[in-house]
Amino acid sequence: MLPSPSRMLGDIVVEGVSEVRASTMRTKRRAAQVALLLVATALYGAIMSSWGGAGGGGAPSAEDRWQERAPRSIAESSASQQVKPEIGDMAKGSHKGSSAVDTTTTMPPTARSTTTTLDDLFISVKTTGGFHRSRVQLVLQTWFNLAKSQTWFFTDTNDVEFQEKTGGHMVNTNCSSSHSGKALCCKMSVELDSFLESGKKWFCHVDDDNYLNVPRLVRLLSGYDPQRDWYIGKPSIRAPLEILLPQALSSGSASAKKAARKVSFWFATGGAGFCVSRALALRMLPVASGGKFISIGERIRLPDDVTMGYIIEHILGHHLTVVDEFHSHLEPMRFIPEESFPDQISFSYSRYGKEQNVLKIDKGLPVKDDPTRLLSLHCILHPSAKYCPR
């Protein structure tokens, strides 16, 4: 017996409803799967971003786990500081906000070998009166003995004892002893002017907590021509520093004149040391000599090493050449292999809370006698020093 038309119609309706429900369930399951995939992808991206992996994969390296720190003495709001418009117009043809950087670690193809000697260098050490008996004394015990005639200490007080210890190479800049940007720029200004008056071929700046591998530095600079523009060092941040400059407009509304223009530039951190060729320093002369360096630092409200990078990269349009063998206290010293010490140019030390950021040297002087590990470093590089173990 055939089913009635009404029953057939009912069966069809039931089957249709069941199919719709099944389809809806499948759609919901797919949507849930897609949402779960999106959440997992976002979570993975966030984890990789927090690790800072440049390659986008893999576990974080020990260096990535070391917290990257901002440039020295930059106020929290410095990335959005505004400066007077004439700064951006001091030099014609300056590159605007270029993020390019020459990451050279060996002799670049555009450089030519020179006969650079130690006597071609003007080495300036920035310090302050409060660090003469600690940091400066350590410099005098170590690498200063390799470059006594070429090294000058720029401080903020008269110190008869250390004037004698340095052989008359301690300069009282009459700058403030504070660690403000203006005080730092004041000392750097005196350093730069002193170099320009010296007639030397290379201006190399370090801080009083640096160990400078002098022979290695001389070998490095022998690969660069001081008659060409060279700005050599190492940045402490992973991207160019960005600041805001007001547009220099001669006409237009008041609001238009105040409009900010973003510029970016690299700078070599002073805590690792950097070198400038005489040719480039002479280009800086009309812009930065005679105290003008201080004025630029005040206008952009940034410290000395950042101001140096701003002048060279933004105003003069010359890029930083990065040499990885410069090291500052902003990076973990313990990861520099001991066997590579002779190849490095500068070292440093610091303390962050209870954590000592010093070189890892297995055999050396006792830590209680050498907490910075720089005496032990000097013994590795120059074992004939009188305090080195025999």
Side-chain angles (χ1 to χ4, degrees), residues 9 29 33 52 57 71 132 144 154 216 244 250 252 254 268 275 305 339-340:
L9 180 60
R29 282 198 298 271
Q33 290 171 349
H132 289 182
F144 175 73
F154 291 81
R216 179 67 179 91
L244 296 177
S250 58
C275 294
D305 51 356
E339 62 271 17
S340 76

Side-chain angles (χ1 to χ4, degrees), residues 6 17-18 23 33 60-61 81 126 128 130 144 196 254 273 295 311 321 339 345 351 368:
S6 60
V17 170
S18 298
S23 176
Q33 290 171 349
S61 67
Q81 299 293 346
K126 182 181 65 188
T128 184
F144 175 73
L196 289 169
S295 299
I311 292 171
T321 295
E339 62 271 17
I345 296 168
R351 182 187 182 98
K368 65 181 180 62

Side-chain angles (χ1 to χ4, degrees), residues 119-140:
D119 199 46
D120 293 323
L121 275 59
F122 182 95
I123 303 172
S124 66
V125 182
K126 182 181 65 188
T127 187
T128 184
F131 289 145
H132 289 182
R133 295 185 178 276
S134 54
R135 295 183 179 185
V136 173
Q137 180 61 40
L138 184 57
V139 172
L140 297 181

Side-chain angles (χ1 to χ4, degrees), residues 42-232:
L43 180 61
Y44 178 80
I47 293 173
M48 297 310 299
S49 176
S50 67
W51 283 350
S61 67
E63 292 186 10
D64 287 330
R65 289 194 294 267
W66 185 266
Q67 182 181 358
E68 180 181 321
R69 293 173 173 85
R72 299 171 303 111
S73 302
I74 297 181
E76 291 182 0
S77 60
S78 63
S80 61
Q81 299 293 346
Q82 295 186 358
V83 300
K84 295 182 179 180
E86 62 266 23
I87 293 295
D89 301 324
M90 283 187 173
K92 295 181 179 179
S94 62
H95 67 291
K96 298 179 179 179
S98 173
S99 61
V101 61
D102 181 354
T103 54
T104 302
T105 56
T106 57
M107 186 186 300
T110 55
R112 62 180 177 85
S113 181
T114 66
T115 56
T116 297
T117 66
L118 176 59
D119 199 46
D120 293 323
L121 275 59
F122 182 95
I123 303 172
S124 66
V125 182
K126 182 181 65 188
T127 187
T128 184
F131 289 145
H132 289 182
R133 295 185 178 276
S134 54
R135 295 183 179 185
V136 173
Q137 180 61 40
L138 184 57
V139 172
L140 297 181
Q141 288 179 267
T142 55
W143 64 266
F144 175 73
N145 295 295
L146 306 174
K148 290 182 178 181
S149 299
Q150 295 76 27
T151 304
W152 296 81
F153 296 85
F154 291 81
T155 187
D156 43 49
T157 186
N158 290 318
D159 190 325
V160 176
E161 177 187 353
F162 277 85
Q163 188 67 263
E164 182 178 352
K165 286 185 174 182
T166 61
H169 278 216
M170 184 158 276
V171 179
N172 183 0
T173 62
N174 293 311
C175 300
S176 169
S177 61
S178 73
H179 204 66
S180 66
K182 182 176 181 180
L184 296 172
C185 285
C186 178
K187 288 178 182 175
M188 184 67 75
S189 177
V190 179
E191 292 177 48
L192 180 61
D193 286 351
S194 298
F195 163 70
L196 289 169
E197 294 172 1
S198 72
K200 301 286 187 176
K201 296 179 181 179
W202 289 99
F203 168 50
C204 293
H205 162 92
V206 293
D207 282 351
D208 55 7
D209 59 355
N210 284 129
Y211 179 97
L212 185 62
N213 188 353
V214 176
R216 179 67 179 91
L217 177 63
V218 174
R219 292 200 305 274
L220 170 79
L221 296 179
S222 293
Y224 298 86
D225 184 356
Q227 296 181 11
R228 300 184 61 180
D229 294 350
W230 291 109
Y231 174 38
I232 303 170

